[in-house]
Amino acid sequence: MSSARVFQESIRDIYNRPGEMRERSRTVAAPEKLGEGLAWVAEGENLDLDVRLESVHEGILVSAEVRTTVHAECGRCLKEFATPFQVEFQELFAYTPTEADEYGVHGDHVDLEPPLRDAVVLALPFQPVCRPDCPGLDPESGELREAEAAAEPDAVDPRWAALAGYLAEEEDVDRSADPESN
């Protein structure tokens, strides 16, 4: 099947037959890279599709679930990683599309590529992380921080040192005013 037709679903058996429904599952390879930035679905990556096609009076209602693997670069430590990814979408393909309709029926098929691409790209994480507790990079050295080192309190910035001294003085005043706190 050519890449132009890889996402086409035949509706010949349910065209203009409201109430009819067909469910199909298949796996296709992504014909090109989906997404940019820090997260993407690589060209050739398997896309597992579960598609439900329902004939309604206005056209064909498509409900689909896509499962694949997303490749990403961690927004904290810059390591590349891969993770499972799932997205669902639902679109109406109108028999006679108007300006308000985004998608239309083309002869005896619907082309799932535009709504599938939109759903996948819009659901990709904007700032992916390799793991929730990723400590990231050290801002001074640019080296990968260890999780234990990231939990340690940072040294006081010299620009704020005067305020730290003020806080210590205020705590001393509070202790001397309240003898029971000692």
Side-chain angles (χ1 to χ4, degrees), residues 6-18:
V6 75
F7 294 110
Q8 292 182 0
E9 287 287 342
S10 174
I11 57 160
R12 183 175 294 149
D13 58 336
I14 61 172
Y15 186 86
N16 272 329
R17 298 179 73 189

Side-chain angles (χ1 to χ4, degrees), residues 6-9 21-26 28 47-54 60-68 85-93 103 110-120 123:
V6 75
F7 294 110
Q8 292 182 0
E9 287 287 342
M21 178 189 72
R22 299 292 179 265
E23 292 183 329
R24 300 180 182 139
S25 295
R26 62 187 172 120
V28 297
L47 301 171
D48 296 322
L49 304 173
D50 290 329
V51 180
R52 183 173 55 215
L53 305 160
E54 298 175 71
I60 303 294
L61 181 64
V62 175
S63 302
E65 180 180 302
V66 182
R67 289 175 308 285
T68 188
F85 180 75
Q86 178 178 329
V87 67
E88 298 176 1
F89 67 92
Q90 188 173 56
E91 289 294 337
L92 176 67
F93 289 79
Y103 307 110
V110 292
D111 184 9
L112 300 181
E113 191 269 337
L116 181 137
R117 175 182 299 279
D118 291 348
V120 168

